[in-house]
Amino acid sequence: MATEDLFFSTTDRRGVIEQCNCVFVRISGYSRDELAGKPHNIVRHPDMPGGAFRWIWDRLAAGRSAGAYVKNRAKDGSAYWVFAVLSPVPSGYLSVRMAPRGPLFDVVRQVYAEAVAAEREAVRTRGTGRRDAAGLGLAAIETALGRHGFASLDAFALDALPAEVSARRHLVTTAFARPAHGVIGEVLGGAGALDELLGGLVDRLTAYQNLCDRLAATSSTVLDITERLAGSVAAAQHASELVADSAPTLANVARVMAAPMGDAGAALSRLGARLGRLRTDVAELRFRISLARVYNDMVAAFAAEVIDNAAPPDSLHAVPLLCHAAQAGFLEMSEQVRRVNEELRQSADLVAEAGELLETFRRFLGQWRNLVFRSRSDSSLRDELATIDAEITASWDWMDMLRSLGREYRSAVIPFDAGLLGAHLDKMRGALGTSAPLSTG
């Protein structure tokens, strides 16, 4: 199976095949007549865990798109792997599949093997039914993925699809630049313009994901230092009590500076939780944009097949359905972008709040250290001062890094124009709705 190959098929709500493209026919070994009207599991491989299909169908039934690795079996019994993306459409379901080339492919093969073993063991030893065995398989998949750092199969899919799209992009010369005129030229022109817009969004989101990771690591370090500084406040309060007779003011200042320190820790704790939500939102947005890119690639692939005389012109009748699936994704993206931009702003606000509170603490601490010096208590408090000063020194550089990242967050706004994206889809649909003859050059 070549990297540039893209399978296409549609099914009704029961999973019965209604349409398929020439790549599906060629790789599966079945004719169009043999595929049409058959359940899509005609190509199911026995080594696929039922749990993976359970997850796919659960998402589709909930009106959500899915992306998963699938091992299939051709008519001659040979096996082939695909990464499949599937979406609900008005008449049923639409699926586009590509050759797996991403870094998570090796992980999933091991995970699936464990799940298949668990399902077969349940059937063999306990007589478990197929549906219940699939539930056990899904649990086994998610347990195995947990060992690789993924909280769920949903979380795995959010990373897997963008990784596959990126890997394919590095290996495939796209069809967008092929010379074509007439209807096909308009379809390719719209698809090329849309690909450029979506690619820019993916690049920006990848940068934001890296920014999220950096801010999460830095804020975690600052929170750890802040918690240690809270211990230093206690040390300062204890030290103040040791010299209360000769320097009574020390205790008051030590007591006052505990408040901004505690508030800074609370702000950083809230920042950690907000960053978790933001990273999930960014991952989901990358998934949706990557999904739209796959459907857009499929549009270009249909046009390329017609140009190359590998498919009849009427294969372009599938383009409006692909446009519909992409359009539905744009509506979801618009809300997701709004949420991500708000999360970016609020995260920047929390960084600023924590910084101001730590700066207030720093001023109180400076006053306290100055009072220690003026009261000539340095020698009496040598051990306590050494602990406090070490923590303070460690905190400032990290706080500067956190503030710098906070400024990046404040300027990190995702531009998103659903209307502009939709206009390109309308252009493609409009071209196919005209009576103009197809032309390839």
Side-chain angles (χ1 to χ4, degrees):
M1 181 177 173
T3 301
E4 62 269 19
D5 285 334
L6 284 176
F7 292 60
F8 172 83
S9 62
T10 62
T11 72
D12 64 14
R13 294 290 175 184
R14 298 172 299 149
V16 175
I17 297 171
E18 294 182 336
Q19 301 179 64
C20 59
N21 72 334
C22 61
V23 175
F24 191 5
V25 169
R26 171 166 54 84
I27 301 297
S28 71
Y30 292 97
S31 69
R32 287 181 187 273
D33 289 341
E34 288 175 309
L35 292 170
K38 300 295 191 303
H40 210 289
N41 63 13
I42 189 175
V43 293
R44 177 172 177 173
H45 197 285
D47 288 345
M48 265 299 291
F53 291 116
R54 170 81 171 268
W55 175 81
I56 290 171
W57 281 107
D58 284 350
R59 282 184 68 95
L60 293 176
R64 304 170 67 193
S65 296
Y69 292 95
V70 178
K71 186 177 184 179
N72 286 334
R73 182 167 62 180
K75 184 177 179 179
D76 64 5
S78 60
Y80 61 94
W81 281 90
V82 298
F83 188 87
V85 293
L86 311 95
S87 293
V89 291
S91 59
Y93 304 108
L94 175 153
S95 176
V96 176
R97 300 173 293 287
M98 69 193 86
R101 297 291 185 265
L104 296 175
F105 183 35
D106 288 338
V107 171
V108 88
R109 284 187 290 186
Q110 175 187 338
V111 167
Y112 280 6
E114 292 182 34
V116 168
E119 290 178 11
R120 289 175 178 170
E121 178 67 13
V123 172
R124 184 180 64 83
T125 62
R126 302 197 296 274
T128 304
R130 188 171 64 179
R131 181 175 178 78
D132 289 340
L136 292 172
L138 178 55
I141 288 171
E142 298 206 314
T143 297
L145 286 175
R147 296 196 294 272
H148 293 277
F150 296 97
S152 64
L153 189 45
D154 281 8
F156 178 79
L158 293 182
D159 278 359
L161 173 57
E164 288 296 337
V165 171
S166 177
R168 184 175 183 275
R169 288 280 168 157
H170 284 99
L171 297 171
V172 174
T173 301
T174 65
F176 301 123
R178 290 179 183 233
H181 302 285
V183 172
I184 293 183
E186 291 188 53
V187 170
L188 278 180
L194 187 56
D195 181 70
E196 187 174 345
L197 290 172
L198 293 172
L201 285 171
V202 168
D203 291 342
R204 187 180 288 263
L205 285 169
T206 299
Y208 285 1
Q209 194 165 47
N210 293 334
L211 177 59
C212 282
D213 291 341
R214 287 161 53 209
L215 183 56
T218 304
S219 65
S220 178
T221 300
V222 174
L223 179 58
D224 179 61
I225 292 173
T226 300
E227 289 173 347
R228 296 203 306 266
L229 283 172
S232 298
V233 171
Q237 291 173 334
H238 175 68
S240 300
E241 292 174 0
L242 296 177
V243 292
D245 292 341
S246 58
T249 310
L250 281 177
N252 292 332
V253 176
R255 185 166 51 252
V256 170
M257 70 183 179
M261 175 53 59
D263 290 342
L268 288 168
S269 294
R270 296 198 304 276
L271 177 62
R274 185 169 295 283
L275 286 174
R277 293 192 295 273
L278 177 58
R279 292 167 79 182
T280 298
D281 281 341
V282 168
E284 288 181 351
L285 190 51
R286 286 180 72 222
F287 177 91
R288 289 193 172 113
I289 293 172
S290 298
L291 185 68
R293 294 191 88 184
V294 171
Y295 293 153
N296 194 51
D297 282 354
M298 191 69 245
V299 169
F302 272 125
E305 288 172 0
V306 175
I307 293 172
D308 296 341
N309 294 316
D314 65 6
S315 66
L316 290 174
H317 293 163
V319 168
L321 195 60
L322 287 159
C323 291
H324 173 86
Q327 184 92 51
F330 292 163
L331 295 176
E332 295 173 339
M333 284 181 220
S334 185
E335 172 58 24
Q336 197 88 35
V337 165
R338 186 201 63 75
R339 193 158 59 244
V340 166
N341 284 336
E342 180 62 17
E343 290 283 358
L344 287 167
R345 185 190 66 76
Q346 293 186 11
S347 295
D349 289 347
L350 275 174
V351 170
E353 179 185 344
E356 291 172 2
L357 289 165
L358 285 173
E359 189 61 41
T360 300
F361 165 75
R362 186 179 187 176
R363 288 197 299 270
F364 279 126
L365 182 68
Q367 293 177 23
W368 186 83
R369 293 288 276 109
N370 188 45
L371 287 170
V372 168
F373 175 76
R374 288 166 55 189
S375 66
R376 296 198 171 110
S377 302
D378 307 54
S379 57
S380 304
L381 304 177
R382 185 178 296 109
D383 292 341
E384 287 79 4
L385 290 175
T387 300
I388 295 169
D389 289 344
E391 298 292 357
I392 293 299
T393 300
S395 71
W396 302 140
D397 287 344
W398 283 100
M399 195 60 229
D400 286 342
M401 288 178 62
L402 186 61
R403 283 174 170 162
S404 175
L405 289 171
R407 286 191 292 272
E408 286 188 61
Y409 260 56
R410 196 169 292 285
S411 62
V413 176
I414 301 172
F416 186 82
D417 187 342
L420 180 59
L421 295 172
H424 292 300
L425 295 177
D426 290 340
K427 177 181 178 181
M428 291 184 273
R429 283 186 289 223
L432 293 168
T434 68
S435 58
L438 295 175
S439 174
T440 60

